[in-house]
Amino acid sequence: MSRPPLHWSCLNHCGACCRLAPAERQEALQALSDEQQTIYLEMVGEDGWCRHFDQGGRRCKIYEQRPDFCRVSGLADLFAVATEEVNDFAIDCCRQQIRSVHGGRSLELRKFERLIRSPQNSDD
């Protein structure tokens, strides 16, 4: 019996992608244009988190106006991911970042794994 397909979706109150520390995100930073790198680096707070991340509420304060590189579709474009592979790419990126920020046995990773197994529209 085959498993149902996974469907990427953004996990509310996770914030793992808002951990922008350049030393920890070299691959992502190098994929950006010079202009995007400038914006990215201006967004990094002293603690390595995006200055637009509300750590108490664990949400983005500029979600609707966030830069393209903060969107799954923007990352897929940066890394030249084929349209049919964007879902799997997004899932892999999120898993990696959630593990890095919250840990491999974290509640956030468990919630993300449940979320991607229940079909729904993405919140890119």
Side-chain angles (χ1 to χ4, degrees):
M1 181 163 68
S2 66
R3 290 182 169 194
L6 302 178
H7 301 277
W8 177 85
S9 190
C10 183
L11 177 63
N12 288 330
H13 308 292
C14 170
C17 59
C18 298
R19 177 75 183 159
L20 301 180
E24 300 168 14
R25 308 278 310 261
Q26 282 298 309
E27 185 177 306
L29 189 57
Q30 290 172 356
L32 302 176
S33 70
D34 290 344
E35 180 181 349
Q36 289 171 320
Q37 283 184 11
T38 299
I39 294 167
Y40 183 101
L41 293 171
E42 288 172 352
M43 291 171 59
V44 180
E46 288 184 24
D47 60 359
W49 287 90
C50 178
R51 60 185 177 88
H52 300 292
F53 181 59
D54 172 3
Q55 291 194 29
R58 295 179 79 181
R59 63 178 194 80
C60 177
K61 294 184 280 188
I62 62 163
Y63 189 80
E64 295 302 321
Q65 294 82 33
R66 70 197 188 281
D68 60 340
F69 57 79
C70 290
R71 300 168 186 267
V72 167
S73 57
L75 282 178
D77 290 344
L78 286 171
F79 288 99
V81 176
T83 303
E84 64 274 7
E85 296 174 1
V86 169
N87 185 67
D88 291 341
F89 174 80
I91 289 170
D92 289 344
C93 286
C94 286
R95 279 179 174 149
Q96 178 182 0
Q97 191 64 13
I98 292 169
R99 279 187 192 108
S100 173
V101 172
H102 298 298
R105 304 183 107 188
S106 65
L107 178 60
E108 291 82 3
L109 186 57
R110 290 192 311 264
K111 285 182 177 180
F112 179 71
E113 292 297 337
R114 280 194 307 269
L115 178 65
I116 63 177
R117 283 168 174 69
S118 51
Q120 56 189 297
N121 294 327
S122 75
D123 294 331
D124 180 31

